[in-house]
Amino acid sequence: MATLETQGMFPRFDRSGHAGSRVTHYCAGCGHGIIHKLLSEAYVKLGLQDRTVIVNPIGCAVFGYYYWDVGGVSAGHGQAPSMATAISRLRDKAITISYQGDGDLAAIGLGHTLQAAARGEHMAVFFVNNSIYGMTGGQMAPTTLIGQKTTTSPLGRNPETDGMPLHMAELINQLALPVYVARVSVADTARIMKAKAAIRKALEIQRDRKGYTFVEILSPCPTSVGKPPLEAAKFVIEQMEKEYPLGTLRDNSATAPVRPEPKPWVKLADFFGDDGSEDPHPEAGEAKERHFKFTGFGGQGILSLGLVVADAARAQGLETTWLPSYGPEQRGGDAACTVVTSTHIIGAPAVEHPELLVVMNQAACAKHLETVKPGGLAILDSTVRLPEKLPENVRIVQVPAIDIATAAGVPKAANVAILGALIALNATAIPAHLLIEALERSFAKKPKLIPANKQVLESAIAYCQHHGLTGELP
């Protein structure tokens, strides 16, 4: 008869193309196997197995998807909370779990961890604290005890040079939105039973859609700590628990409100099966997505230009993203931004091959002109020299935007002159009045600047019309 844990886990550890090669890859006395068993028992007994997705990071638990018979996703080192955030938001019925070790969660992934907890993301985090980097050679971890010897602290951790151990449960407990925060241990039977209850509690809160839970689990690591299994367990009880006291730091599960089920940002039926979610634009038919990129120097209003276009697209009722990119210099450094507009939900804000490219300086021309999608449009300021070899099947239009702005007495408004060119050429497929209204909104805090900038805009439109410039996107 199958037990709860065998229902929730694969019977053998299959790896490297050798089916049924061995039962486990964990060292004798390691706590991961115990935790795996407790976790699988919990999601099976709660009836959550078919809804559970566990994110496995880099570390000893990287092969978790070979053990747990649930959805499994691999994340980059330290990035499991961000991956879990995406899954939780996109797949709202999923029971999302981030399973991480101390080097992964508290060192490389500390920022990901704290930000996910600060947002109160709907996920359960199980943090395995064995006071050391286990898989990669026994280096000092953020949780290594004072005086504890590791491969990178052979004389013992020194607080004067290495700082103090990081108390993750206490850190998480300082934040406002986590619902449940606890620290348990798997060093002996009595402690394992308390760990079992905490793991179940964390999953019950996920089942009930009440928010973020964090369970820190003190666990033996005989190999990297350099002790036999029983001594490693004793090390957890006698030394680690002095630094990291066991107990429940917070339990707001009784009063925490049920989180509303969000509409997913992207339909994931092809990856996880149809969840019944609906497209937010069912009337729009086939998706029409446009990719724009605006490039130049910092100080030329590149980012502001992209924001105006994005704002106008939102006013048109389109899904819109705006993604800036710039160097450390406030003025004179490279600056760029991308805008994506779509009749349907946008999968990603990145733009590698824009349909529309705006270039305001020579460096940007050399870097970005070749990336324009065939059939696309590139609008360059007239000060930019064209390269000897031009990209094939790309319409290139040069507009004296800097000269137009200077002649109007507003030299900093070259970006507005480019906006005029976008309007004249209908390069964005956004109605002109929406772009003009978005420009006016951008000067909401400085309304006195609106007339002069609209003069620049009108001059640029007149220039393009007078010279018969065209370049409308398909």
Side-chain angles (χ1 to χ4, degrees):
M1 180 177 178
T3 60
L4 290 175
E5 67 270 16
T6 57
Q7 290 177 37
M9 297 180 71
F10 297 116
R12 297 186 69 83
F13 172 62
D14 299 337
R15 185 186 173 210
S16 303
H18 303 292
S21 56
R22 44 188 165 154
V23 176
T24 179
H25 80 292
Y26 291 122
C27 304
C30 173
H32 276 295
I34 299 172
I35 302 167
H36 284 22
K37 175 178 180 289
L38 298 178
L39 185 51
S40 64
E41 284 181 343
Y43 59 65
V44 170
K45 194 167 185 178
L46 292 170
L48 303 175
Q49 184 173 359
D50 292 339
R51 295 169 53 192
T52 297
V53 180
I54 300 179
V55 183
N56 301 282
I58 305 302
C60 287
V62 69
F63 300 121
Y65 44 80
Y66 284 104
Y67 295 104
W68 289 302
D69 187 8
V70 295
V73 180
S74 295
H77 213 338
Q79 298 174 23
S82 298
M83 181 73 75
T85 295
I87 294 169
S88 177
R89 292 188 179 192
L90 298 175
R91 186 70 175 177
D92 59 313
K93 292 180 175 63
I95 303 299
T96 309
I97 294 171
S98 178
Y99 185 94
Q100 300 177 260
D102 42 12
D104 184 82
L105 180 145
I108 297 168
L110 181 60
H112 294 266
T113 298
L114 293 179
Q115 294 298 336
R119 296 191 302 268
E121 297 291 347
H122 183 50
M123 67 175 70
V125 178
F126 296 110
F127 168 45
V128 183
N129 176 2
N130 53 24
S131 79
I132 202 165
Y133 274 84
M135 186 186 75
T136 56
Q139 301 96 328
M140 184 180 69
T143 55
T144 297
L145 305 180
I146 296 301
Q148 183 178 345
K149 295 180 180 180
T150 71
T151 56
T152 52
S153 59
L155 301 179
R157 179 170 187 162
N158 183 347
E160 293 183 2
T161 55
D162 305 324
M164 297 296 290
L166 204 56
H167 292 217
M168 286 307 306
E170 285 79 2
L171 269 177
I172 298 297
N173 195 41
Q174 296 302 307
L175 303 173
L177 295 181
V179 175
Y180 179 68
V181 182
R183 182 183 289 120
V184 294
S185 170
V186 292
D188 65 15
T189 303
R191 288 169 169 81
I192 289 171
M193 297 309 294
K194 291 182 179 180
K196 178 178 180 178
I199 290 171
R200 179 186 174 96
K201 181 78 169 182
L203 293 188
E204 287 175 339
I205 292 169
Q206 300 309 303
R207 177 199 62 191
D208 298 340
R209 294 196 57 79
K210 290 194 170 183
Y212 183 93
T213 60
F214 185 92
V215 179
E216 180 175 345
I217 307 170
L218 304 188
S219 173
C221 182
T223 299
S224 292
V225 175
K227 298 178 183 294
L230 292 178
E231 289 296 317
K234 191 175 180 180
F235 171 79
V236 172
I237 295 171
E238 295 182 353
Q239 297 189 48
M240 288 188 67
E241 289 181 15
K242 289 181 180 178
E243 184 70 33
Y244 304 110
L246 306 184
T248 300
L249 285 73
R250 179 187 306 183
D251 183 0
N252 295 339
S253 58
T255 57
V258 176
R259 297 164 64 98
E261 296 188 4
K263 284 187 176 294
W265 295 352
V266 179
K267 289 201 70 172
L268 298 182
D270 293 339
F271 300 95
F272 294 101
D274 191 3
D275 62 359
S277 60
E278 297 180 355
D279 194 299
H281 302 281
E283 74 290 347
E286 183 180 355
K288 179 62 177 178
E289 190 165 292
R290 297 182 183 276
H291 292 180
F292 310 139
K293 181 174 284 188
F294 305 89
T295 63
F297 284 136
Q300 291 184 305
I302 300 300
L303 306 187
S304 299
L305 175 59
L307 277 173
V308 168
V309 172
D311 185 25
R314 284 194 292 271
Q316 192 181 6
L318 297 174
E319 300 289 329
T320 310
T321 65
W322 173 79
L323 184 66
S325 173
Y326 46 86
E329 307 91 342
Q330 184 176 7
R331 292 288 185 270
D334 292 338
C337 68
T338 62
V339 173
V340 179
T341 68
S342 179
T343 56
H344 290 55
I345 288 174
I346 297 169
V351 173
E352 295 183 0
H353 299 288
E355 300 166 62
L356 168 66
L357 173 70
V358 169
V359 174
M360 292 289 286
N361 65 26
Q362 199 67 45
C365 178
K367 185 175 181 180
H368 298 289
L369 188 59
E370 289 291 334
T371 69
V372 180
K373 182 180 179 180
L377 168 66
I379 299 179
L380 285 65
D381 185 78
S382 295
T383 60
V384 177
R385 301 185 308 277
L386 294 177
E388 293 184 6
K389 184 179 179 181
L390 298 176
E392 296 182 5
N393 196 23
V394 172
R395 168 75 172 169
I396 297 177
V397 175
Q398 288 194 285
V399 177
I402 295 175
D403 290 345
I404 290 173
T406 302
V410 196
K412 291 183 178 181
N415 61 335
V416 177
I418 290 292
L419 181 63
L422 297 180
I423 292 173
L425 275 60
N426 192 25
T428 63
I430 300 172
H433 74 278
L434 294 180
L435 289 165
I436 295 172
E437 290 170 3
L439 175 66
E440 292 174 347
R441 283 194 295 274
S442 72
F443 287 106
K445 295 182 179 180
K446 299 179 180 179
K448 293 182 179 180
L449 299 179
I450 293 177
N453 278 272
K454 290 187 71 173
Q455 180 184 345
V456 173
L457 185 80
E458 293 166 0
S459 296
I461 293 173
Y463 176 91
C464 292
Q465 292 173 341
H466 177 74
H467 289 82
L469 300 182
T470 61
E472 181 176 352
L473 291 176

